[in-house]
Amino acid sequence: MPRTLDHAAPAERSVPLPPRLARIMRPELPSLAEEIVAEIRRAIPEYARPLDGPYGHVLRRSVEHQLAAFVDRVAAPGPAEVSDDCAGTARMLGQYEAHEGRSMDALQAAYRVGGQAAWRRVMRVAPRHDISAAVMSRLADALFVYLDELAALSLDGYRQARARPIPALDERRRRLLRVLLDGPGTELAEAAEAAEWQVPAAVTLIAVEPEARCVWTSLDEDVLADVECAAPHLLVPGPFSPERRAMLEKALPGRRVAVGLTLPPGQAADSLRWARRALGLVLDGVLDGPVALCEDHLVTLWLLSDPALVEQLARRRLAVLDGMTPGQQDRLTETLRTWLVTRGTAAEIAALLHIHPQTVRYRMRKIEQIFGDELADPEARFGIEVVLRAAHLRARGAEVRARTGGLRARRDTRRPHSSVMIPR
């Protein structure tokens, strides 16, 4: 393969670098990665994109991994190969260039800019550690040989992306996906045959965070996808396996997704509807990402599927608290929710809420006075538990959004905790 970067000849690997260099270099890596990313974005217009997008995520992750891998190579002298992780990231960068319709010039320039920034840092740090000129020379050769290997891997990914057809982009497969989601009828067999796709016994739909950029060549051949729309989504034949999850991480790096239930093809729309609902809860901070499985959150999806209806239930079941202050309501409903969920003793509830057992006993007596016979009525008690569980989930999402500065804009600005659900 022809060389991809212009630099000096490879270093003689018979003379290893002193492992102590790795100890000197490691503390510099976090700030060096930031410096390299900033320099690349400043010097190369093609990479001057928001860093919170998929391209920015891949750029930052690749720089961090490749720097760490180079230091690992210095720390363990001997025959060295690029790690599978770094090789995969390097190939992915090349695939991105191909999908953007560009040549490899910008990525080659990015490698050069990164190497120059790294070497400037070495020149600033080396004088403090009495590193000889001979060692510095071997370190320079090793660094640029490493960059040459990464660039060659990126070129390999670029060529693969250019050479391989992308069935997921084919309009026939897009049409097939639409047919499945519209409710397959007599058209399904015809659409599947045209798309050269065998209809499976079951499918799993996946909702993807908006504005996702997909590495198409990382998708399995049998996956149907539409990610260039306002609500990106994929269809995976069969169940969502660990292998499919690994595929998603490569194809949609850094993007949050929600995986629907595995259902017969005729229920594909239901699987996607639930996946989109789960993704909304991920973006709201209620569910954890980056991959949320509907299978693991069925009760949460049900509880929060119709907020207006839960609000009406709250008006009927919790109206007895209207005369209390918000703080009083929060304390009593959190204690009641914990008791309903755990049916624990005062000591057990106190440990969960980080309060004194005597405080729990006082609150429970107050709760019994307020709710009376409703706590003994199974239907009424279930309604109260539903309301309080839903309020707790919504409160958790509100706290996450407040902590992170807001995962997305929301109209609901009411207080968290049980008062979210309790009418004033």
Side-chain angles (χ1 to χ4, degrees), residues 256-285:
R256 289 169 289 190
V257 303
V259 180
L261 299 181
T262 301
L263 299 170
Q267 295 177 262
D270 287 332
S271 180
L272 181 57
R273 176 166 55 86
W274 295 325
R276 283 175 171 164
R277 180 61 184 148
L279 180 61
L281 295 178
V282 170
L283 298 178
D284 273 348

Side-chain angles (χ1 to χ4, degrees), residues 22-98:
R23 296 192 296 273
I24 297 170
M25 296 161 69
R26 285 195 200 281
E28 303 290 327
L29 296 187
S31 61
L32 177 57
E34 293 291 335
E35 181 180 330
I36 288 174
V37 170
E39 186 67 15
I40 289 173
R41 296 180 71 238
R42 184 197 65 77
I44 305 170
E46 289 84 349
Y47 299 129
R49 300 181 180 184
L51 288 179
D52 57 353
Y55 214 103
H57 174 84
V58 172
L59 175 62
R60 187 187 299 279
R61 187 180 71 169
S62 65
V63 170
E64 292 170 349
H65 286 190
Q66 290 162 1
L67 285 174
F70 178 71
V71 173
D72 290 342
R73 177 182 289 196
V74 172
E81 293 183 0
V82 178
S83 69
D84 291 343
D85 190 25
C86 284
T89 302
R91 288 192 179 94
M92 185 186 300
L93 290 172
Q95 291 168 357
Y96 267 132
E97 297 303 297

Side-chain angles (χ1 to χ4, degrees), residues 41 75 148 352:
R41 296 180 71 238
D148 195 36
L352 291 170

Side-chain angles (χ1 to χ4, degrees), residues 70 114-116 118-119 122 138-148:
F70 178 71
Q116 291 163 1
W119 189 246
V122 169
R138 296 205 306 276
L139 180 60
D141 285 341
L143 173 62
F144 286 101
V145 165
Y146 178 66
L147 290 173
D148 195 36

Side-chain angles (χ1 to χ4, degrees), residues 318 321 324 326-368 370-371 375 381 384-385 388-389 391-392 417-419 422:
L318 303 182
L321 301 176
M324 295 184 174
Q328 290 172 326
Q329 289 183 357
D330 288 346
R331 289 189 290 274
L332 287 186
T333 53
E334 184 63 6
T335 303
L336 176 56
R337 185 193 67 82
T338 305
W339 176 73
L340 288 169
V341 171
T342 67
R343 296 304 174 92
T345 64
E348 290 168 341
I349 294 172
L352 291 170
L353 298 180
H354 306 291
I355 57 178
H356 195 278
Q358 192 59 34
T359 303
V360 174
R361 296 186 184 98
Y362 167 79
R363 291 182 185 176
M364 288 304 301
R365 286 195 296 270
K366 187 76 172 174
I367 287 167
E368 289 169 358
I370 293 170
F371 286 93
L375 292 182
R381 188 172 62 243
I384 292 170
E385 183 176 349
L388 295 181
R389 281 178 179 255
H392 178 72
H417 296 297
S418 58
S419 57
I422 301 172

